[in-house]
Amino acid sequence: TQLLEQSPQFLSIQEGENLTVYCNSSSVFSSLQWYRQEPGEGPVLLVTVVTGGEVKKLKRLTFQFGDARKDSSLHITAAQPGDTGLYLCAGGWSNDYKLSFGAGTTVTVRA
Amino acid sequence: NAGVTQTPKFQVLKTGQSMTLQCAQDMNHNSMYWYRQDPGMGLRLIYYSASEGTTDKGEVPNGYNVSRLNKREFSLRLESAAPSQTSVYFCASSEALQWEQYFGPGTRLTVT
């Protein structure tokens, strides 16, 4: 059973459209991270959020940590083909700094 | 800096064979991790090492052993491979008490 549930599992959109990916859990986390993974490569960290209600922006990407620190969302504005990839959320606890990963959302942006 | 390197990149084993996956990092990180990634399952932690000389089980340790050879290197051994161990294996490292993990490029293992 996955501790972190990501939705949707797959997302295909046209270049220029907006998209939102969700990451939900019944557990409370000390931090929530988002990674992007491209085919044949390892995941690369996009952002870490640690405060409930925190919003971080990275160019066209906006990340939000839920008030109760159980969920998060990733919003991409005006998606580009370069945003194509597998987006993984990961929750961590400060007692040991281990991470629990969601199953991921595969995003395809068509030119 | 090469970051995190893994060898081999691809491997095919027959059931019952053994092999060791190698991982090295040049970032002077204290913590190192081994994950497996299966379709629809995300990354699952096999073993981790919080510091040189220590190792601990993760979520799916059965069928695997690890060795933290020194601060740079963390190897994963399959003593008797099974088809259920067909997966992509990732090694990662991080600084002590830091959230960000840096991943290697992965090893794609097929067990027939």
Side-chain angles (χ1 to χ4, degrees), chain A residues 1-2 9 30-31 33 35 37 40-45 48 50 86 88 91-104, chain B residues 9 33 35 37-45 48 50 57-59 88 90 94 96-106 108:
Chain A
T1 303
Q2 213 75 39
Q9 188 175 358
S30 302
S31 81
Q33 298 186 314
Y35 288 80
Q37 184 179 16
E41 299 182 7
V44 176
L45 181 70
T48 299
V50 297
L86 176 67
L88 296 159
W93 299 271
S94 56
N95 60 328
D96 59 15
Y97 284 80
K98 288 190 297 184
L99 298 177
S100 179
F101 282 82
Chain B
K9 190 136 179 86
Y33 311 83
Y35 294 90
Q37 186 175 36
D38 302 291
M41 300 287 290
L43 288 155
R44 291 183 292 169
L45 184 64
Y48 70 102
K57 294 179 181 179
E59 182 185 353
V88 182
F90 288 98
S94 69
L97 305 181
Q98 295 294 317
W99 294 114
E100 180 171 11
Q101 294 187 12
Y102 295 80
F103 286 81
R108 185 173 294 274

Side-chain angles (χ1 to χ4, degrees), chain B residues 19-76:
Chain B
M19 80 160 294
T20 300
L21 281 65
Q22 306 287 352
C23 173
Q25 52 92 8
D26 62 3
M27 296 173 282
N28 202 36
H29 287 166
N30 284 308
S31 303
M32 297 186 74
Y33 311 83
W34 275 106
Y35 294 90
R36 59 178 290 172
Q37 186 175 36
D38 302 291
M41 300 287 290
L43 288 155
R44 291 183 292 169
L45 184 64
I46 305 171
Y47 270 94
Y48 70 102
S49 171
S51 61
E52 186 178 354
T54 68
T55 61
D56 285 289
K57 294 179 181 179
E59 182 185 353
V60 289
N62 291 347
Y64 306 95
N65 285 301
V66 291
S67 295
R68 184 74 182 266
L69 305 169
N70 48 55
K71 192 171 185 179
R72 288 187 65 247
E73 299 172 289
F74 189 36
S75 63
L76 178 72

Side-chain angles (χ1 to χ4, degrees), chain A residues 12-19 60 76-80 109-110:
Chain A
S12 180
I13 60 170
Q14 202 69 33
E15 181 177 4
E17 293 181 336
N18 301 333
L19 68 97
R60 294 176 294 100
I76 301 179
T77 303
Q80 299 176 359
V109 182
R110 304 184 306 275

Side-chain angles (χ1 to χ4, degrees), chain A residues 4 21 23 28-35 45-58 61-75 88-94 97-99, chain B residues 98-100:
Chain A
L4 283 161
V21 175
C23 175
V28 177
F29 294 102
S30 302
S31 81
L32 202 296
Q33 298 186 314
W34 285 92
Y35 288 80
L45 181 70
L46 295 174
V47 77
T48 299
V49 284
V50 297
T51 305
E54 183 176 4
V55 176
K56 278 193 175 179
K57 292 191 175 184
L58 185 67
L61 279 61
T62 301
F63 305 87
Q64 185 162 7
F65 200 12
D67 291 341
R69 289 186 288 127
K70 293 182 178 182
D71 55 83
S72 180
S73 63
L74 158 61
H75 181 79
L88 296 159
C89 67
W93 299 271
S94 56
Y97 284 80
K98 288 190 297 184
L99 298 177
Chain B
Q98 295 294 317
W99 294 114
E100 180 171 11

